[in-house]
Amino acid sequence: MNLASRVEVNLDGSVVSIVYATSTLEMVLADGRSERFELKSTCPTEFLVKAPTIDEQGTTTLDLEILKFEVAGTSAVLWPGAPVKMSGGRLIGPEALPIYGSVRIPAGQSLADGAYSEQLVYIAVETPMGTMHNLEPVRMAAVINSVPPNQAFHSVDGTANLYLNKEDPAAQLIACTSVVNNPDESDTTGGH
């Protein structure tokens, strides 16, 4: 069975979960103070994988939507001891924007060979200052070899302003990474 058929049978329209992820978030406040936060999953990341399509060149594309992700940690510099949470996806709340992405598998290759995955991400960052949002999506990308991805390192391309309101930026996102770990079923620790 070819990859496109196997993915379609197993994942078409399916909600897929990633058990555990760690993220870093680095931001600079409008007053110039900054911090790099180390964040961990508070719940599984859920995403929807749509039916694969194949273009004229033979590239297989899997479109997806991240429905929900949530990672949290504790501030050490900006708000010592205070919780900081980053989340995204349309299931986090009524005002959340959807996160769309895709996986592209070149003709003649399989997903196991490594495929480019890219998502356009909207985030909410809960801090003691309030909840900050980006108004324009940030592009996160990785090379993955499975769906759901395992041990994949996603990183943001560029920077983004974070707003408490829609007028003046309260902070700038200068770096964001995520490493997903979807342990096999024999791992009883849940990836922690």
Side-chain angles (χ1 to χ4, degrees):
M1 183 183 299
N2 70 28
L3 169 70
S5 299
R6 191 168 61 246
V7 170
E8 186 170 0
V9 168
N10 293 333
L11 297 175
D12 179 23
S14 297
V15 174
V16 179
S17 292
I18 296 172
V19 176
Y20 187 72
T22 58
S23 296
T24 60
L25 168 69
E26 189 170 352
M27 61 187 222
V28 178
L29 298 180
D31 65 11
R33 295 179 300 134
S34 66
E35 184 169 354
R36 179 185 175 107
F37 303 96
E38 301 294 331
L39 309 170
K40 295 180 181 179
S41 295
T42 60
C43 61
T45 297
E46 297 177 355
F47 60 101
L48 177 68
V49 180
K50 300 185 180 171
T53 59
I54 301 174
D55 67 18
E56 296 93 28
Q57 292 79 31
T59 298
T60 300
T61 300
L62 297 171
D63 289 322
L64 58 93
E65 178 185 357
I66 298 173
L67 299 171
K68 179 181 181 179
F69 79 88
E70 184 178 285
V71 290
T74 303
S75 175
V77 177
L78 294 175
W79 309 284
V84 174
K85 181 171 78 172
M86 179 173 63
S87 58
R90 66 181 162 99
L91 296 184
I92 67 165
E95 295 182 19
L97 295 170
I99 299 172
Y100 296 114
S102 63
V103 178
R104 289 187 171 65
I105 306 162
Q109 294 185 4
S110 72
L111 182 57
D113 295 328
Y116 182 74
S117 174
E118 176 181 273
Q119 294 77 43
L120 298 176
V121 179
Y122 291 95
I123 60 172
V125 181
E126 295 177 30
T127 73
M129 285 178 57
T131 301
M132 299 181 215
H133 302 268
N134 55 315
L135 302 178
E136 298 294 325
V138 292
R139 184 178 314 274
M140 289 194 79
V143 173
I144 65 172
N145 59 15
S146 63
V147 174
N150 190 28
Q151 299 298 319
F153 178 83
H154 293 76
S155 61
V156 71
D157 179 22
T159 62
N161 288 325
L162 298 174
Y163 297 83
L164 289 169
N165 55 45
K166 293 184 178 179
E167 296 171 14
D168 299 312
Q172 185 174 49
L173 173 103
I174 58 172
C176 186
T177 63
S178 179
V179 178
V180 297
N181 180 18
N182 209 33
D184 65 34
E185 294 173 3
S186 65
D187 181 357
T188 59
T189 66
H192 298 254

